[in-house]
Amino acid sequence: MSSGNEQQYTFKVGTIAGVKGLKGEMRLKLDSDFDMVETIHSVHLKNGATTREADVKSLNQEGRSVLMRLEGYKSREDTEPLIGAEIYTQKSQLRELEEDEWWFGDLVGLTAYTTDGERIGVVSAIVDSGNYLLEIKSEDKTFLVPFVKDLVPTVDIKAKRLEIKALPGLLQ
């Protein structure tokens, strides 16, 4: 079932990892911090070729787990077929970003410069290896730079650029 509104639901919240209890509660594996998504009220579920939209009845943190209930899913039997489904929502439903926060997708495509103004290359991906790394491609090399304030002091989304401190050995 597809409603045709998938284009609106572009932010991946996470994946349904399992169910809890008998009343339709689902355990989630989030792709972001809980505080970013705790305000969502509708989601788009994608499980293979099957897609559907649903309203969020509740979303809360219980210890290390995040639990979600959806309208119309009242039992374990209703929710078990959703295990493995990817969950998407609209960016407009997320909390506002702080001054020094960015969507990772907005970093891809930025031109990277040293703090001295020398062009390094373009951010081609964000690598999650426990810590986030910027993958920067130049004409003949690829660099991985830890995405921390000390090494990447300037991110300017509007100017489509970021600056990296060229510590010895970092960009070789």
Side-chain angles (χ1 to χ4, degrees), residues 2 41 48 60 62-63 74 129 145 161:
S2 178
H41 52 82
N60 52 58
E62 183 179 276
K74 298 177 182 177
S129 64
V145 176
R161 66 179 282 137

Side-chain angles (χ1 to χ4, degrees), residues 3-107:
S3 67
N5 289 333
E6 298 93 38
Q7 308 306 356
Q8 296 176 7
Y9 291 85
T10 58
F11 182 84
K12 186 175 179 197
V13 173
T15 306
I16 298 173
V19 296
K20 178 189 176 204
L22 301 174
K23 296 186 178 182
E25 234 173 357
M26 295 169 274
R27 289 189 189 280
L28 307 184
K29 179 182 180 292
L30 294 183
D31 285 4
S32 64
D33 294 332
F34 178 72
D35 74 320
M36 289 300 295
V37 299
E38 67 184 326
T39 59
I40 64 174
H41 52 82
S42 64
V43 293
H44 181 85
L45 304 172
K46 185 173 191 248
N47 199 358
T50 304
T51 62
R52 64 187 68 161
E53 290 181 33
D55 290 329
V56 176
K57 188 173 184 178
S58 67
L59 182 67
N60 52 58
Q61 215 165 8
E62 183 179 276
R64 294 182 137 188
S65 295
V66 174
L67 303 173
M68 178 175 71
R69 292 189 71 196
L70 298 175
E71 294 289 341
Y73 295 85
K74 298 177 182 177
S75 71
R76 183 178 192 95
E77 291 77 23
D78 291 342
T79 56
E80 281 181 334
L82 299 177
I83 294 173
E86 295 177 338
I87 308 161
Y88 294 87
T89 196
Q90 301 157 324
K91 276 189 178 180
S92 63
Q93 293 186 45
L94 305 174
R95 79 158 168 81
E96 293 292 320
L97 295 176
E98 305 277 325
E99 184 177 327
D100 281 346
E101 289 182 316
W102 305 273
W103 299 115
F104 282 140
D106 293 341
L107 298 174

Side-chain angles (χ1 to χ4, degrees), residues 103-117:
W103 299 115
F104 282 140
D106 293 341
L107 298 174
V108 174
L110 296 184
T111 303
Y113 295 88
T114 65
T115 52
D116 294 331

Side-chain angles (χ1 to χ4, degrees), residues 145-159:
V145 176
F147 187 52
V148 294
K149 185 79 170 164
D150 287 342
L151 292 176
V152 187
T154 304
V155 175
D156 188 339
I157 300 292
K158 289 181 184 171

